Amino acid sequence: MPEELTPLEKLQLMVPGYRGYKAKDLIRQDDFLIRQAVIQKLEASINNLSRLEGEIVADDPFSPLLKRIESIISSIRTLIGTTLTLQGGGGDVYARYKIQTEQLDEIVKNDMNMIDIGNQILNLSSDANNLTAISQLLDNLRNIILKRNELFFPPQDR
């Protein structure tokens, strides 16, 4: 939750019966902001990789690195789309699966891991020597997204 709350939010957290709703709402807002930060980092990584691609084309238009970079950019775009459309930090009142506060905390924890990976991808995206590491980080990001989705839609027992 944000450290700085408005006076109204502080008051809402004091009201018995409303406190839980407000706490969940603040976690949902954090979740949204975190996912937007991840998307921005991934978009900046695409820009870095595109610049790198341009430099490689200028030196060697038939370099095999170009295909790898394009593949990574494609994977990043897919993850951006997936992150953009992820279930938000909590379902609505009529959701089949109710999200508890503990699950929301776990969702935000997963989102924070996504930010860490986004930072790493962004830091590595300016050097062609890091393409393998970027691919591994993208796989890690995919796994975090899968784990995150399981918090919203628990696996069915068969």
Side-chain angles (χ1 to χ4, degrees):
M1 269 190 279
E3 291 183 21
E4 293 184 27
L5 300 174
T6 65
L8 178 60
E9 288 173 327
K10 289 178 185 176
L11 181 64
Q12 290 170 335
L13 286 172
M14 287 188 235
V15 176
Y18 190 77
R19 179 183 14 233
Y21 294 112
K22 186 60 184 174
K24 285 182 180 180
D25 182 53
L26 291 171
I27 292 170
R28 287 181 187 113
Q29 290 175 32
D30 288 349
D31 172 62
F32 175 78
L33 293 172
I34 290 167
R35 286 185 290 120
Q36 292 304 307
V38 171
I39 289 169
Q40 289 174 351
K41 290 176 187 320
L42 292 175
E43 288 173 341
S45 297
I46 287 176
N47 291 338
N48 287 346
L49 289 167
S50 295
R51 255 186 255 113
L52 183 62
E53 197 174 32
E55 292 169 9
I56 292 171
V57 166
D59 290 340
D60 180 9
F62 301 106
S63 172
L65 287 176
L66 295 173
K67 184 175 180 180
R68 286 187 65 203
I69 292 173
E70 276 303 314
S71 175
I72 289 172
I73 288 174
S74 177
S75 293
I76 293 173
R77 284 190 180 122
T78 300
L79 285 171
I80 287 172
T82 301
T83 304
L84 194 58
T85 60
L86 283 174
Q87 171 75 32
D92 62 17
V93 175
Y94 303 107
R96 170 93 168 109
Y97 300 105
K98 300 299 179 198
I99 306 296
Q100 303 302 321
T101 304
E102 296 79 23
Q103 290 168 302
L104 287 173
D105 289 338
E106 186 68 23
I107 290 164
V108 171
K109 181 179 151 193
N110 282 339
D111 289 352
M112 294 304 287
N113 289 337
M114 289 171 60
I115 280 192
D116 290 340
I117 291 173
N119 280 332
Q120 291 175 44
I121 292 170
L122 180 57
N123 292 335
L124 295 173
S125 64
S126 297
D127 187 353
N129 295 322
N130 298 328
L131 296 180
T132 302
I134 291 172
S135 292
Q136 291 170 344
L137 288 169
L138 292 173
D139 288 339
N140 292 347
L141 189 55
R142 256 184 235 98
N143 289 334
I144 289 173
I145 289 171
L146 290 173
K147 275 196 270 182
R148 185 183 188 283
N149 281 339
E150 285 179 8
L151 293 169
F152 287 102
F153 307 104
Q156 298 294 319
D157 295 331
R158 294 178 191 214

